[in-house]
Amino acid sequence: MARKDNQTKREIKMLKTTLSDMLGIQYPIVQGGMAPWATERLCVAVSNAGALGLISSIGVGMPQAAPVALADDPNWKDKSPYELLRAVLQWATKQTAEKQGIFGVNIPLAEEFGEVVEGLLKASIDARKENEDTANRLKVIVTSAGNPAPWARLIKDSGALWFHVVPSVAHALKAEQAGADLVIASGREGGGHVAFEPVHSMVLLPAVVNAISLPVVAAGGFCDGSTLAAALSMGAVGIQMGTRFIATEDGDFPEIWRQKILTSNERGSHVGISVFGPARYLKNKISQQLHELYNKGFLEGYKEGTRIEGHGMRQLSTSTDPDECVFLGGEVAGRIEQLPTVSALIEEISNEAETVIRRLPKLVTEA
Ligand SMILES: Cc1cc2nc3c(=O)[nH]c(=O)nc-3n(C[C@H](O)[C@H](O)[C@H](O)COP(=O)(O)O)c2cc1C
């Protein structure tokens, strides 16, 4: 009986935002796409914990290793990105069935990916058509890193919700015009790909919230309850996190990467050349080369930079030397000190945000 009372209390205390209402999830938290990893285990863990997990489609299409979903298939390498992604999405549907977890798929639209983009979009849409459970729980397609307009009809006709990631007000307006249902405003402090022109979350988020009438999720620099509360106070309906989710016990990322996050400080990242634009890396010998090449000029350094980046990525699965690898990661690595389980992390963030939000009204006093 006491347990039931506690549960009821928890339900009453729950944070509720437009994001949780749109998706039917418990926590207004999104796990960002993180190719070139497929983020299969992470997506399932996040979804089963009551937040929104994403399968990173480009990571499935260009896997470092066999997708978890196809671990028993010796011929997985012969399959097209379309077939691989469909199999992964059906696997994620099964893995999240018991808890009725809600999940999505991230599809970067960069021109460099050519026809693969259309294949990945169609795979996601077909996976929903093939299986009622998938249609009910693969609720959202999150596009990023490219022009959303050419894909609008295909995505809107699919019946899935459509979120698009943007680095500026101008891009947010384009996403709204294209018909997106929600925009994810991604600040320059975030890990992975960033825009050429830097705008960080503290300026970007309220500017995007003011400029469009769609709901906005904040990304870049979020890792705990106080930053979630800050995002909500600036008008966001939730947060998307990348780096914080890498440093968890039950994700997909190698130990060497998680340890790199734990040992970084707040000045421990910088921007360097990456395959389809600049990206934020955790600092080491290799990232220093990518950073210097970027400062000399993106186009001039592109060929050498992407060669170095590719080498550093391959080292991640075998090397024990953190200076031999490249680690995409955000400034927020400097604020991360523990490797919790995904569900403990999500619950802690939500509890802390609630505490902060309840404390704030006390700052307002009658004159
Ligand atoms: C390793 C890594 C890979 C990423 N790959 C993608 C990707 O494939 N697609 C995408 O939209 N964003 C990608 N991102 C960005 C994240 O989805 C997220 O928006 C970002 O990490 C948020 O900033 P934070 O690292 O401060 O939490 C990546 C980030 C990291 C750290």
PDB file of all heavy atoms in Angstrom, residues 104-135:
ATOM      1  N   GLY A 104      12.362   6.773 -31.771  1.00  0.00           N
ATOM      2  CA  GLY A 104      12.365   7.447 -33.062  1.00  0.00           C
ATOM      3  C   GLY A 104      13.609   7.070 -33.844  1.00  0.00           C
ATOM      4  O   GLY A 104      14.400   6.227 -33.416  1.00  0.00           O
ATOM      5  N   VAL A 105      13.751   7.705 -34.999  1.00  0.00           N
ATOM      6  CA  VAL A 105      14.928   7.442 -35.823  1.00  0.00           C
ATOM      7  C   VAL A 105      15.482   8.781 -36.296  1.00  0.00           C
ATOM      8  O   VAL A 105      14.729   9.685 -36.657  1.00  0.00           O
ATOM      9  CB  VAL A 105      14.564   6.492 -37.001  1.00  0.00           C
ATOM     10  CG1 VAL A 105      13.431   7.031 -37.859  1.00  0.00           C
ATOM     11  CG2 VAL A 105      15.767   6.190 -37.879  1.00  0.00           C
ATOM     12  N   ASN A 106      16.809   8.918 -36.214  1.00  0.00           N
ATOM     13  CA  ASN A 106      17.453  10.142 -36.686  1.00  0.00           C
ATOM     14  C   ASN A 106      18.030   9.903 -38.081  1.00  0.00           C
ATOM     15  O   ASN A 106      18.761   8.938 -38.296  1.00  0.00           O
ATOM     16  CB  ASN A 106      18.576  10.551 -35.721  1.00  0.00           C
ATOM     17  CG  ASN A 106      19.458  11.664 -36.302  1.00  0.00           C
ATOM     18  OD1 ASN A 106      20.672  11.508 -36.413  1.00  0.00           O
ATOM     19  ND2 ASN A 106      18.863  12.771 -36.706  1.00  0.00           N
ATOM     20  N   ILE A 107      17.685  10.803 -39.000  1.00  0.00           N
ATOM     21  CA  ILE A 107      18.191  10.685 -40.367  1.00  0.00           C
ATOM     22  C   ILE A 107      18.837  12.003 -40.784  1.00  0.00           C
ATOM     23  O   ILE A 107      18.138  12.986 -41.063  1.00  0.00           O
ATOM     24  CB  ILE A 107      17.048  10.300 -41.344  1.00  0.00           C
ATOM     25  CG1 ILE A 107      16.395   8.997 -40.847  1.00  0.00           C
ATOM     26  CG2 ILE A 107      17.583  10.156 -42.771  1.00  0.00           C
ATOM     27  CD1 ILE A 107      15.252   8.493 -41.670  1.00  0.00           C
ATOM     28  N   PRO A 108      20.175  12.074 -40.786  1.00  0.00           N
ATOM     29  CA  PRO A 108      20.841  13.286 -41.285  1.00  0.00           C
ATOM     30  C   PRO A 108      20.627  13.400 -42.796  1.00  0.00           C
ATOM     31  O   PRO A 108      20.711  12.417 -43.518  1.00  0.00           O
ATOM     32  CB  PRO A 108      22.324  13.067 -40.941  1.00  0.00           C
ATOM     33  CG  PRO A 108      22.332  11.981 -39.905  1.00  0.00           C
ATOM     34  CD  PRO A 108      21.146  11.119 -40.237  1.00  0.00           C
ATOM     35  N   LEU A 109      20.342  14.621 -43.253  1.00  0.00           N
ATOM     36  CA  LEU A 109      19.970  14.826 -44.654  1.00  0.00           C
ATOM     37  C   LEU A 109      21.122  15.348 -45.512  1.00  0.00           C
ATOM     38  O   LEU A 109      20.890  15.818 -46.623  1.00  0.00           O
ATOM     39  CB  LEU A 109      18.804  15.831 -44.720  1.00  0.00           C
ATOM     40  CG  LEU A 109      17.558  15.479 -43.897  1.00  0.00           C
ATOM     41  CD1 LEU A 109      16.548  16.634 -43.927  1.00  0.00           C
ATOM     42  CD2 LEU A 109      16.909  14.193 -44.415  1.00  0.00           C
ATOM     43  N   ALA A 110      22.339  15.282 -44.997  1.00  0.00           N
ATOM     44  CA  ALA A 110      23.482  15.879 -45.712  1.00  0.00           C
ATOM     45  C   ALA A 110      23.581  15.354 -47.146  1.00  0.00           C
ATOM     46  O   ALA A 110      23.414  14.147 -47.379  1.00  0.00           O
ATOM     47  CB  ALA A 110      24.766  15.577 -44.947  1.00  0.00           C
ATOM     48  N   GLU A 111      23.875  16.279 -48.055  1.00  0.00           N
ATOM     49  CA  GLU A 111      23.955  15.898 -49.472  1.00  0.00           C
ATOM     50  C   GLU A 111      25.003  14.814 -49.704  1.00  0.00           C
ATOM     51  O   GLU A 111      24.891  13.995 -50.613  1.00  0.00           O
ATOM     52  CB  GLU A 111      24.306  17.129 -50.315  1.00  0.00           C
ATOM     53  CG  GLU A 111      23.092  17.984 -50.586  1.00  0.00           C
ATOM     54  CD  GLU A 111      23.455  19.305 -51.247  1.00  0.00           C
ATOM     55  OE1 GLU A 111      24.570  19.414 -51.783  1.00  0.00           O
ATOM     56  OE2 GLU A 111      22.601  20.215 -51.207  1.00  0.00           O
ATOM     57  N   GLU A 112      26.059  14.826 -48.859  1.00  0.00           N
ATOM     58  CA  GLU A 112      27.136  13.835 -48.992  1.00  0.00           C
ATOM     59  C   GLU A 112      26.606  12.393 -48.926  1.00  0.00           C
ATOM     60  O   GLU A 112      27.218  11.477 -49.451  1.00  0.00           O
ATOM     61  CB  GLU A 112      28.187  14.005 -47.883  1.00  0.00           C
ATOM     62  CG  GLU A 112      29.101  15.201 -48.025  1.00  0.00           C
ATOM     63  CD  GLU A 112      28.470  16.504 -47.513  1.00  0.00           C
ATOM     64  OE1 GLU A 112      27.247  16.527 -47.267  1.00  0.00           O
ATOM     65  OE2 GLU A 112      29.211  17.492 -47.386  1.00  0.00           O
ATOM     66  N   PHE A 113      25.451  12.202 -48.281  1.00  0.00           N
ATOM     67  CA  PHE A 113      24.927  10.836 -48.151  1.00  0.00           C
ATOM     68  C   PHE A 113      24.130  10.405 -49.383  1.00  0.00           C
ATOM     69  O   PHE A 113      23.721   9.250 -49.486  1.00  0.00           O
ATOM     70  CB  PHE A 113      24.052  10.710 -46.897  1.00  0.00           C
ATOM     71  CG  PHE A 113      24.810  10.909 -45.608  1.00  0.00           C
ATOM     72  CD1 PHE A 113      24.295  11.676 -44.582  1.00  0.00           C
ATOM     73  CD2 PHE A 113      26.055  10.330 -45.425  1.00  0.00           C
ATOM     74  CE1 PHE A 113      24.997  11.859 -43.402  1.00  0.00           C
ATOM     75  CE2 PHE A 113      26.777  10.507 -44.250  1.00  0.00           C
ATOM     76  CZ  PHE A 113      26.251  11.274 -43.239  1.00  0.00           C
ATOM     77  N   GLY A 114      23.901  11.338 -50.308  1.00  0.00           N
ATOM     78  CA  GLY A 114      23.266  11.009 -51.597  1.00  0.00           C
ATOM     79  C   GLY A 114      21.966  10.244 -51.433  1.00  0.00           C
ATOM     80  O   GLY A 114      21.114  10.571 -50.608  1.00  0.00           O
ATOM     81  N   GLU A 115      21.855   9.154 -52.246  1.00  0.00           N
ATOM     82  CA  GLU A 115      20.594   8.399 -52.296  1.00  0.00           C
ATOM     83  C   GLU A 115      20.312   7.622 -51.014  1.00  0.00           C
ATOM     84  O   GLU A 115      19.193   7.149 -50.791  1.00  0.00           O
ATOM     85  CB  GLU A 115      20.639   7.407 -53.459  1.00  0.00           C
ATOM     86  CG  GLU A 115      20.539   8.087 -54.797  1.00  0.00           C
ATOM     87  CD  GLU A 115      20.824   7.126 -55.939  1.00  0.00           C
ATOM     88  OE1 GLU A 115      20.961   5.911 -55.686  1.00  0.00           O
ATOM     89  OE2 GLU A 115      20.908   7.606 -57.073  1.00  0.00           O
ATOM     90  N   VAL A 116      21.357   7.486 -50.177  1.00  0.00           N
ATOM     91  CA  VAL A 116      21.160   6.733 -48.929  1.00  0.00           C
ATOM     92  C   VAL A 116      20.068   7.384 -48.085  1.00  0.00           C
ATOM     93  O   VAL A 116      19.283   6.700 -47.419  1.00  0.00           O
ATOM     94  CB  VAL A 116      22.500   6.659 -48.142  1.00  0.00           C
ATOM     95  CG1 VAL A 116      22.287   6.106 -46.739  1.00  0.00           C
ATOM     96  CG2 VAL A 116      23.494   5.782 -48.890  1.00  0.00           C
ATOM     97  N   VAL A 117      19.978   8.733 -48.123  1.00  0.00           N
ATOM     98  CA  VAL A 117      18.984   9.445 -47.312  1.00  0.00           C
ATOM     99  C   VAL A 117      17.579   8.950 -47.640  1.00  0.00           C
ATOM    100  O   VAL A 117      16.790   8.612 -46.747  1.00  0.00           O
ATOM    101  CB  VAL A 117      19.086  10.974 -47.528  1.00  0.00           C
ATOM    102  CG1 VAL A 117      17.927  11.696 -46.870  1.00  0.00           C
ATOM    103  CG2 VAL A 117      20.412  11.505 -47.002  1.00  0.00           C
ATOM    104  N   GLU A 118      17.288   8.877 -48.942  1.00  0.00           N
ATOM    105  CA  GLU A 118      15.944   8.439 -49.342  1.00  0.00           C
ATOM    106  C   GLU A 118      15.691   6.995 -48.892  1.00  0.00           C
ATOM    107  O   GLU A 118      14.620   6.659 -48.379  1.00  0.00           O
ATOM    108  CB  GLU A 118      15.792   8.547 -50.864  1.00  0.00           C
ATOM    109  CG  GLU A 118      14.378   8.295 -51.294  1.00  0.00           C
ATOM    110  CD  GLU A 118      14.150   8.605 -52.773  1.00  0.00           C
ATOM    111  OE1 GLU A 118      15.071   9.118 -53.443  1.00  0.00           O
ATOM    112  OE2 GLU A 118      13.037   8.316 -53.240  1.00  0.00           O
ATOM    113  N   GLY A 119      16.729   6.158 -49.010  1.00  0.00           N
ATOM    114  CA  GLY A 119      16.608   4.759 -48.587  1.00  0.00           C
ATOM    115  C   GLY A 119      16.304   4.666 -47.091  1.00  0.00           C
ATOM    116  O   GLY A 119      15.459   3.868 -46.671  1.00  0.00           O
ATOM    117  N   LEU A 120      16.978   5.485 -46.301  1.00  0.00           N
ATOM    118  CA  LEU A 120      16.781   5.424 -44.842  1.00  0.00           C
ATOM    119  C   LEU A 120      15.393   5.941 -44.455  1.00  0.00           C
ATOM    120  O   LEU A 120      14.735   5.386 -43.570  1.00  0.00           O
ATOM    121  CB  LEU A 120      17.876   6.217 -44.120  1.00  0.00           C
ATOM    122  CG  LEU A 120      19.307   5.683 -44.313  1.00  0.00           C
ATOM    123  CD1 LEU A 120      20.324   6.595 -43.642  1.00  0.00           C
ATOM    124  CD2 LEU A 120      19.446   4.253 -43.786  1.00  0.00           C
ATOM    125  N   LEU A 121      14.962   7.010 -45.142  1.00  0.00           N
ATOM    126  CA  LEU A 121      13.611   7.524 -44.862  1.00  0.00           C
ATOM    127  C   LEU A 121      12.560   6.472 -45.220  1.00  0.00           C
ATOM    128  O   LEU A 121      11.646   6.190 -44.442  1.00  0.00           O
ATOM    129  CB  LEU A 121      13.358   8.802 -45.667  1.00  0.00           C
ATOM    130  CG  LEU A 121      13.877  10.099 -45.058  1.00  0.00           C
ATOM    131  CD1 LEU A 121      13.828  11.234 -46.072  1.00  0.00           C
ATOM    132  CD2 LEU A 121      13.067  10.471 -43.819  1.00  0.00           C
ATOM    133  N   LYS A 122      12.736   5.859 -46.403  1.00  0.00           N
ATOM    134  CA  LYS A 122      11.746   4.848 -46.833  1.00  0.00           C
ATOM    135  C   LYS A 122      11.775   3.632 -45.914  1.00  0.00           C
ATOM    136  O   LYS A 122      10.730   3.053 -45.602  1.00  0.00           O
ATOM    137  CB  LYS A 122      11.998   4.443 -48.287  1.00  0.00           C
ATOM    138  CG  LYS A 122      11.637   5.581 -49.229  1.00  0.00           C
ATOM    139  CD  LYS A 122      11.434   5.123 -50.645  1.00  0.00           C
ATOM    140  CE  LYS A 122      10.705   6.203 -51.442  1.00  0.00           C
ATOM    141  NZ  LYS A 122      11.166   6.316 -52.820  1.00  0.00           N
ATOM    142  N   ALA A 123      12.966   3.247 -45.454  1.00  0.00           N
ATOM    143  CA  ALA A 123      13.059   2.094 -44.534  1.00  0.00           C
ATOM    144  C   ALA A 123      12.266   2.384 -43.264  1.00  0.00           C
ATOM    145  O   ALA A 123      11.556   1.510 -42.743  1.00  0.00           O
ATOM    146  CB  ALA A 123      14.518   1.814 -44.190  1.00  0.00           C
ATOM    147  N   SER A 124      12.372   3.616 -42.746  1.00  0.00           N
ATOM    148  CA  SER A 124      11.678   3.968 -41.501  1.00  0.00           C
ATOM    149  C   SER A 124      10.166   3.968 -41.728  1.00  0.00           C
ATOM    150  O   SER A 124       9.392   3.471 -40.906  1.00  0.00           O
ATOM    151  CB  SER A 124      12.111   5.359 -41.019  1.00  0.00           C
ATOM    152  OG  SER A 124      13.512   5.433 -40.983  1.00  0.00           O
ATOM    153  N   ILE A 125       9.766   4.520 -42.860  1.00  0.00           N
ATOM    154  CA  ILE A 125       8.331   4.602 -43.158  1.00  0.00           C
ATOM    155  C   ILE A 125       7.767   3.199 -43.399  1.00  0.00           C
ATOM    156  O   ILE A 125       6.705   2.840 -42.886  1.00  0.00           O
ATOM    157  CB  ILE A 125       8.116   5.541 -44.370  1.00  0.00           C
ATOM    158  CG1 ILE A 125       8.496   6.978 -43.953  1.00  0.00           C
ATOM    159  CG2 ILE A 125       6.689   5.465 -44.889  1.00  0.00           C
ATOM    160  CD1 ILE A 125       8.655   7.946 -45.105  1.00  0.00           C
ATOM    161  N   ASP A 126       8.515   2.370 -44.139  1.00  0.00           N
ATOM    162  CA  ASP A 126       8.048   1.004 -44.421  1.00  0.00           C
ATOM    163  C   ASP A 126       7.993   0.172 -43.145  1.00  0.00           C
ATOM    164  O   ASP A 126       7.079  -0.649 -42.975  1.00  0.00           O
ATOM    165  CB  ASP A 126       8.965   0.317 -45.455  1.00  0.00           C
ATOM    166  CG  ASP A 126       8.781   0.940 -46.840  1.00  0.00           C
ATOM    167  OD1 ASP A 126       7.829   1.740 -47.008  1.00  0.00           O
ATOM    168  OD2 ASP A 126       9.593   0.651 -47.738  1.00  0.00           O
ATOM    169  N   ALA A 127       8.953   0.394 -42.233  1.00  0.00           N
ATOM    170  CA  ALA A 127       8.936  -0.362 -40.962  1.00  0.00           C
ATOM    171  C   ALA A 127       7.640  -0.052 -40.208  1.00  0.00           C
ATOM    172  O   ALA A 127       7.054  -0.930 -39.582  1.00  0.00           O
ATOM    173  CB  ALA A 127      10.157   0.000 -40.116  1.00  0.00           C
ATOM    174  N   ARG A 128       7.186   1.186 -40.277  1.00  0.00           N
ATOM    175  CA  ARG A 128       5.934   1.556 -39.597  1.00  0.00           C
ATOM    176  C   ARG A 128       4.735   0.913 -40.299  1.00  0.00           C
ATOM    177  O   ARG A 128       3.784   0.492 -39.653  1.00  0.00           O
ATOM    178  CB  ARG A 128       5.757   3.082 -39.571  1.00  0.00           C
ATOM    179  CG  ARG A 128       6.780   3.801 -38.693  1.00  0.00           C
ATOM    180  CD  ARG A 128       6.575   5.303 -38.700  1.00  0.00           C
ATOM    181  NE  ARG A 128       5.646   5.732 -37.683  1.00  0.00           N
ATOM    182  CZ  ARG A 128       4.423   6.175 -37.875  1.00  0.00           C
ATOM    183  NH1 ARG A 128       3.928   6.262 -39.095  1.00  0.00           N
ATOM    184  NH2 ARG A 128       3.653   6.539 -36.873  1.00  0.00           N
ATOM    185  N   LYS A 129       4.811   0.839 -41.651  1.00  0.00           N
ATOM    186  CA  LYS A 129       3.676   0.266 -42.397  1.00  0.00           C
ATOM    187  C   LYS A 129       3.551  -1.237 -42.136  1.00  0.00           C
ATOM    188  O   LYS A 129       2.457  -1.778 -42.084  1.00  0.00           O
ATOM    189  CB  LYS A 129       3.890   0.467 -43.903  1.00  0.00           C
ATOM    190  CG  LYS A 129       3.527   1.863 -44.390  1.00  0.00           C
ATOM    191  CD  LYS A 129       3.585   1.891 -45.908  1.00  0.00           C
ATOM    192  CE  LYS A 129       3.673   3.298 -46.435  1.00  0.00           C
ATOM    193  NZ  LYS A 129       4.400   3.393 -47.699  1.00  0.00           N
ATOM    194  N   GLU A 130       4.713  -1.899 -42.004  1.00  0.00           N
ATOM    195  CA  GLU A 130       4.745  -3.358 -41.892  1.00  0.00           C
ATOM    196  C   GLU A 130       4.220  -3.894 -40.576  1.00  0.00           C
ATOM    197  O   GLU A 130       3.825  -5.042 -40.490  1.00  0.00           O
ATOM    198  CB  GLU A 130       6.213  -3.815 -41.918  1.00  0.00           C
ATOM    199  CG  GLU A 130       6.770  -4.095 -43.242  1.00  0.00           C
ATOM    200  CD  GLU A 130       8.289  -4.016 -43.175  1.00  0.00           C
ATOM    201  OE1 GLU A 130       8.904  -4.200 -42.105  1.00  0.00           O
ATOM    202  OE2 GLU A 130       8.843  -3.754 -44.231  1.00  0.00           O
ATOM    203  N   ASN A 131       4.320  -3.074 -39.532  1.00  0.00           N
ATOM    204  CA  ASN A 131       4.086  -3.604 -38.191  1.00  0.00           C
ATOM    205  C   ASN A 131       3.338  -2.555 -37.365  1.00  0.00           C
ATOM    206  O   ASN A 131       3.824  -1.435 -37.178  1.00  0.00           O
ATOM    207  CB  ASN A 131       5.468  -3.908 -37.588  1.00  0.00           C
ATOM    208  CG  ASN A 131       5.380  -4.492 -36.200  1.00  0.00           C
ATOM    209  OD1 ASN A 131       4.368  -4.368 -35.505  1.00  0.00           O
ATOM    210  ND2 ASN A 131       6.457  -5.137 -35.782  1.00  0.00           N
ATOM    211  N   GLU A 132       2.158  -2.952 -36.893  1.00  0.00           N
ATOM    212  CA  GLU A 132       1.328  -2.004 -36.153  1.00  0.00           C
ATOM    213  C   GLU A 132       2.028  -1.499 -34.886  1.00  0.00           C
ATOM    214  O   GLU A 132       1.930  -0.322 -34.533  1.00  0.00           O
ATOM    215  CB  GLU A 132       0.014  -2.697 -35.785  1.00  0.00           C
ATOM    216  CG  GLU A 132      -1.143  -1.730 -35.659  1.00  0.00           C
ATOM    217  CD  GLU A 132      -2.390  -2.466 -35.196  1.00  0.00           C
ATOM    218  OE1 GLU A 132      -2.623  -3.613 -35.641  1.00  0.00           O
ATOM    219  OE2 GLU A 132      -3.120  -1.869 -34.363  1.00  0.00           O
ATOM    220  N   ASP A 133       2.743  -2.431 -34.223  1.00  0.00           N
ATOM    221  CA  ASP A 133       3.462  -2.037 -32.997  1.00  0.00           C
ATOM    222  C   ASP A 133       4.507  -0.979 -33.324  1.00  0.00           C
ATOM    223  O   ASP A 133       4.721  -0.031 -32.565  1.00  0.00           O
ATOM    224  CB  ASP A 133       4.198  -3.237 -32.387  1.00  0.00           C
ATOM    225  CG  ASP A 133       3.249  -4.109 -31.616  1.00  0.00           C
ATOM    226  OD1 ASP A 133       2.096  -3.688 -31.423  1.00  0.00           O
ATOM    227  OD2 ASP A 133       3.668  -5.217 -31.229  1.00  0.00           O
ATOM    228  N   THR A 134       5.207  -1.161 -34.430  1.00  0.00           N
ATOM    229  CA  THR A 134       6.231  -0.178 -34.826  1.00  0.00           C
ATOM    230  C   THR A 134       5.549   1.161 -35.113  1.00  0.00           C
ATOM    231  O   THR A 134       6.024   2.207 -34.676  1.00  0.00           O
ATOM    232  CB  THR A 134       7.004  -0.670 -36.072  1.00  0.00           C
ATOM    233  OG1 THR A 134       7.428  -2.005 -35.845  1.00  0.00           O
ATOM    234  CG2 THR A 134       8.213   0.204 -36.363  1.00  0.00           C
ATOM    235  N   ALA A 135       4.431   1.105 -35.813  1.00  0.00           N
ATOM    236  CA  ALA A 135       3.726   2.357 -36.129  1.00  0.00           C
ATOM    237  C   ALA A 135       3.304   3.081 -34.851  1.00  0.00           C
ATOM    238  O   ALA A 135       3.365   4.305 -34.763  1.00  0.00           O
ATOM    239  CB  ALA A 135       2.507   2.066 -36.993  1.00  0.00           C
TER     240      ALA A 135
END
